[in-house]
Amino acid sequence: MLVDAAGHARVIDFGLARPLLDTGAASPVSGFSPASFPGAGTPGYMAPERREGALGDPRADQYSFCVTAWEALLGQRPQGGQELPPERPGVSSRVLAALRRGMRSNPGERFATMHELLAALAPRPARGLRVLAALLLVGLVLGAYQFGQRSTPAPRCLSPWAQIAGTWNDDRADALAAAFITAAVPFARETWATVRPALDRYAAAWIAAHARACEDAGVRAILPAPLLEQRLACLEDHRLHLAALVDRFAAADAATITNAVTAVERLPPIDACDRAAPTDLIVTSDPALVARRRVVRGSLARARAELDTGRAAAAAPLLEEALTRAREVDSPALLAEVLVVAGNSDRLASRFDRGLERAREALTTAVAHAEPLQAGWAALLLAQLHNAQGDAARNDELLALADAFTRQAGEPTPLRMSVLLTRGTVALEAAPTSVACDELSRARDYALQHDQRRAAAVSLGNLGKCRDMLGEYAVAVDLITRSIAELEPLVGALHPWLASLHINLGGVLTELAEYDAALRHFDRARAIAAANFPGDHVLLAAARMNASIVHNRRRRWADALVEQRAALAIDERLLGPDHPTVALVLCNMGTPLRNLRRLDEALVLTTRATAIQSTALPPEHCDVMACNEIHGGILHELGRADEAVAILDATHARFAAVACPPDQRASLELQLAQSLWATGGAAQRARVLALLDAAEPHIAADVTRDELARLRAAVRP
């Protein structure tokens, strides 16, 4: 085992594997000995029975492990029958006693299993991490540091595992597992199976980073004491975030478990402390100021744990407290960080004006004091807030600014990941173009490179939605199917995120006229919603609304209307009567009512829908185009073709340069062609044929293709 230039422990001799013979574990193997087969192992690390040619069992590996650990801790290993080396100050006698037992000549006197040995080596009083092997390797490196005598270590370098064991250990893990299971959330077990090893890895990375810092200062003598203290302070801040999230998990509810994988993914990256820490963590000569900053950081860590687990209401008072205190501790970097988190909380609660105010203050503060990390977060938050308000005019500028600050800050993974995801989402919401899909593809690639599996799976689903909106249905089916396959093992098949993906996949299959498959996915989404939400939920409404489209395509108008009325009741109750989603349902109800010849009723609903959209959506939103097409069609059926042409023609002109889904544009072009032919006859023939030519490649539904064919036959001279 060697330590490389970066301070990482490297195992370079993994031994040799060979088949076990059916001669008994202790039977000699003919022709096998260190002399006759020198590649079989390094004698100084081999158990006595192995040196004598016996096959051995796992207790022989235990012997080798203990020799290696003893050498790393004490600087030499036992040779043959020589007496064990003396102990050294600072090395636990309990640990050495366990290692002595593991190196006994008689295998029967050693520990029965490696698990028993590791339990004996584990820190007290906690039972220790299951990543103890990683902790031990760190301990070995630090042991080398302790007897290296290059410089005096910082006091906190002596026992990093004890610091982290107080935050994360087997006892805490068992308590959290029980909290998850007793929360009666249908996907809790699968989510815990992802969360537990992720927390183990985070704790192990924390200890490794702590060791690197101490080695850089004490072994390699390349890290000055003030920078060592800064790095350790950064790690302590990260430990606070881990502790806050663990505490949040201990009181797990449905929201916490739903967002648990995301919350772990959003823990501040450990490697950030290797590069640089926020300037407020630089040790000052005023211990009282350091203590006050620590209080702010503790409040901020708890607030982020609440926010990242979907509990914005619980985070709000913690953030207000942190913001008040941050203004009193003379730390621009800390103030900017708190402002960003508070502004994001405002965004999630739709308090956009206050969120904008805080984001602007954060950006101004960070730029004025050369804090590129927080400047990047603030610029990103401003873009998100403007986009949430339907004001996308400054998005490109703000996202470019966030990009620049991200590079200046050294490309921190969470910020870069967030910038990429926001770029893709904003581009997709603005217009489904290949540029939007490219942004989402970049987010996916970045997430995979940085082992952000949830973000990678979600990006894949969003990419599928983008391809769907571009009319690339076969590609979209593949992408969304893969997204489901990647996400299910992480969070469980009954997680609400899967309901959304099944709805999206069913929608694409509808466009491919695979109606039975589409209905199966909508039914799956409804089952997931029912498993998670005892009453009504918007996911249930969305599944029913999409099922109605299948019924429309099959000319089952009454069935479609039943699903739509159910969806409307849910959305009105949960979202309010003037929500854009309610308007979309009202518009879609116009289609079956029109075909059932209930035209007056249909007109009332589509008139209400267009009124809602005129105040709730920007005029160039694609839902406005879709609703105007249905509304114009009903006016046409009522004999008011001139009114229909006025609405449809204006809509067609307004959306000429807007990248809306091709099938929606095709429906508008067909309806406009029908109304123009009804009002202008032969005088409009050329334009009607041009509209039909533009629409035809993008119409998949049989009922719509039939309408187009009939009109083309009538228009041909």
Side-chain angles (χ1 to χ4, degrees):
M1 187 166 60
L2 301 177
V3 178
D4 65 17
H8 301 132
R10 304 294 187 186
V11 178
I12 62 168
D13 184 355
F14 290 88
L16 295 176
R18 53 191 175 83
L20 292 174
L21 304 181
D22 294 330
T23 55
S27 300
V29 180
S30 176
F32 173 77
S33 71
S36 61
F37 190 6
T42 305
Y45 297 92
M46 294 174 70
E49 64 270 25
R50 294 289 303 279
R51 291 197 297 269
E52 294 169 4
L55 184 62
D57 61 18
R59 290 172 297 181
D61 293 333
Q62 180 186 141
Y63 180 99
S64 300
F65 176 91
C66 290
V67 171
T68 303
W70 189 284
E71 181 182 8
L73 286 169
L74 301 181
Q76 56 181 304
R77 67 175 184 269
Q79 298 291 330
Q82 294 179 13
E83 187 175 328
L84 292 176
E87 300 180 12
R88 286 181 180 270
V91 181
S92 167
S93 59
R94 175 181 56 78
V95 169
L96 295 180
L99 295 178
R100 281 198 190 90
R101 179 177 170 184
M103 291 186 290
R104 288 181 182 172
S105 297
N106 183 352
E109 295 177 357
R110 300 173 199 153
F111 293 93
T113 66
M114 277 296 294
H115 291 293
E116 290 185 18
L117 169 60
L118 294 180
L121 293 171
R124 299 293 190 262
R127 287 188 291 131
L129 298 173
R130 292 184 187 174
V131 290
L132 184 60
L135 305 192
L136 183 59
L137 288 177
V138 172
L140 303 182
V141 173
L142 287 180
Y145 160 67
Q146 289 170 6
F147 64 70
Q149 300 299 317
R150 292 199 181 184
S151 63
T152 303
R156 284 184 288 172
C157 280
L158 298 179
S159 57
W161 48 86
Q163 296 177 51
I164 203 70
T167 299
W168 181 241
N169 55 64
D170 277 345
D171 291 332
R172 293 302 311 266
D174 290 346
L176 264 58
F180 270 55
I181 302 310
T182 57
V185 174
F187 49 89
R189 290 181 184 276
E190 295 92 337
T191 297
W192 177 245
T194 298
V195 167
R196 168 66 200 266
L199 292 174
D200 284 347
R201 289 192 297 271
Y202 193 83
W206 189 95
I207 292 177
H210 198 291
R212 285 195 299 274
C214 293
E215 292 168 41
D216 286 348
V219 177
R220 286 180 286 275
I222 60 173
L223 189 68
L227 291 183
L228 170 64
E229 288 300 325
Q230 182 179 354
R231 201 184 286 187
L232 294 181
C234 177
L235 288 169
E236 173 59 15
D237 176 62
H238 287 26
R239 189 195 64 79
L240 288 176
H241 281 82
L242 174 63
L245 188 57
V246 169
D247 288 345
R248 175 68 264 168
F249 286 165
D253 55 11
T256 299
I257 297 173
T258 298
N259 295 284
V261 174
T262 304
V264 175
E265 216 172 61
R266 289 178 177 171
L267 282 169
I270 297 297
D271 61 0
C273 294
D274 288 345
R275 296 190 297 269
T279 54
D280 71 283
L281 294 175
I282 296 175
V283 178
T284 73
S285 58
D286 185 352
L289 183 59
V290 172
R292 288 161 58 200
R293 290 176 180 174
R294 180 182 170 84
V295 169
V296 177
R297 290 206 158 271
S299 295
L300 184 60
R302 292 192 300 277
R304 284 190 55 179
E306 299 288 353
L307 206 57
D308 289 343
T309 53
R311 295 168 50 85
L318 292 169
L319 287 169
E320 294 306 316
E321 174 191 351
L323 189 54
T324 299
R325 293 178 180 273
R327 296 187 186 282
E328 301 170 350
V329 296
D330 190 27
S331 172
L334 182 55
L335 175 59
E337 183 177 355
V338 176
L339 283 166
V340 166
V341 179
N344 190 48
S345 176
D346 290 331
R347 178 182 68 87
L348 295 173
S350 299
R351 297 187 294 263
F352 300 128
D353 289 341
R354 191 170 75 173
L356 284 168
E357 178 183 335
R358 287 174 168 174
R360 291 186 187 108
E361 183 183 357
L363 182 59
T364 302
T365 302
V367 170
H369 294 86
E371 294 288 347
L373 177 62
Q374 297 310 323
W377 282 114
L380 178 63
L381 177 59
L382 281 170
Q384 293 170 335
L385 285 162
H386 282 292
N387 190 64
Q389 290 184 297
D391 176 16
R394 294 193 61 199
N395 275 346
D396 288 344
E397 173 191 346
L398 289 168
L399 288 172
L401 195 60
D403 259 333
F405 285 126
T406 302
R407 290 192 296 272
Q408 190 178 349
E411 295 286 342
T413 300
L415 180 54
R416 174 54 67 197
M417 185 78 252
S418 296
V419 170
L420 288 170
L421 286 172
T422 301
R423 273 192 174 281
T425 303
V426 167
L428 183 60
E429 290 176 356
T433 64
S434 59
V435 173
C437 293
D438 289 345
E439 293 287 0
L440 291 168
S441 184
R442 278 193 284 273
R444 157 81 173 174
D445 291 344
Y446 188 86
L448 288 173
Q449 292 167 11
H450 292 82
D451 197 29
Q452 302 277 311
R453 293 188 295 159
R454 179 208 61 87
V458 170
S459 296
L460 192 63
N462 289 337
L463 182 57
K465 183 63 177 175
C466 187
R467 294 302 177 189
D468 167 28
M469 297 175 73
L470 288 177
E472 300 172 15
Y473 301 127
V475 175
V477 167
D478 175 65
L479 293 171
I480 300 174
T481 301
R482 286 166 52 199
S483 176
I484 292 173
E486 290 184 12
L487 202 54
E488 276 189 353
L490 295 178
V491 297
L494 290 175
H495 195 288
W497 294 340
L498 274 300
S500 298
L501 286 171
H502 281 291
I503 290 170
N504 289 344
L505 182 54
V508 183
L509 290 168
T510 300
E511 297 303 325
L512 290 171
E514 297 182 26
Y515 299 133
D516 289 337
L519 288 174
R520 285 195 296 272
H521 283 285
F522 297 143
D523 287 344
R524 181 59 181 160
R526 290 165 74 162
I528 294 172
N532 285 279
F533 311 108
D536 291 332
H537 192 271
V538 291
L539 284 172
L540 178 60
R544 302 196 73 154
M545 186 64 229
N546 278 273
S548 78
I549 297 174
V550 173
H551 294 318
N552 278 340
R553 298 284 177 88
R554 286 177 158 173
R555 297 184 173 92
R556 297 175 181 173
W557 313 118
D559 290 341
L561 201 56
V562 168
E563 296 285 12
Q564 290 167 345
R565 288 196 185 282
L568 179 64
I570 294 170
D571 286 335
E572 284 188 318
R573 183 163 56 254
L574 298 180
L575 304 176
D578 297 323
H579 194 276
T581 300
V582 170
L584 191 59
V585 177
L586 290 168
C587 271
N588 279 287
M589 290 175 71
T591 298
L593 288 170
R594 173 183 176 180
N595 286 279
L596 290 169
R597 311 313 297 167
R598 293 158 60 177
L599 298 175
D600 290 334
E601 184 179 350
L603 184 62
V604 170
L605 297 182
T606 58
T607 300
R608 178 186 164 196
T610 55
I612 294 172
Q613 290 182 336
S614 67
T615 58
L617 293 176
E620 294 180 349
H621 194 287
C622 293
D623 285 354
V624 173
M625 182 181 76
C627 196
N628 282 355
E629 178 262 313
I630 296 172
H631 185 57
I634 293 168
L635 288 170
H636 175 96
E637 293 288 341
L638 284 167
R640 297 160 61 176
D642 288 336
E643 293 178 60
V645 167
I647 292 172
L648 296 169
D649 214 3
T651 302
H652 188 258
R654 187 195 319 162
F655 283 87
V658 179
C660 290
D663 59 318
Q664 289 185 11
R665 184 180 300 280
S667 294
L668 174 65
E669 288 165 340
L670 174 57
Q671 185 58 66
L672 177 56
Q674 290 171 329
S675 296
L676 284 170
W677 184 249
T679 58
Q684 293 288 346
R685 177 177 286 114
R687 189 174 180 209
V688 168
L689 288 173
L691 287 167
L692 295 179
D693 289 342
E696 188 167 15
H698 305 292
I699 291 178
D702 291 340
V703 61
T704 313
R705 295 188 70 84
D706 291 346
E707 291 178 23
L708 188 146
R710 285 194 298 271
L711 180 58
R712 189 183 289 280
V715 172
R716 282 200 185 103

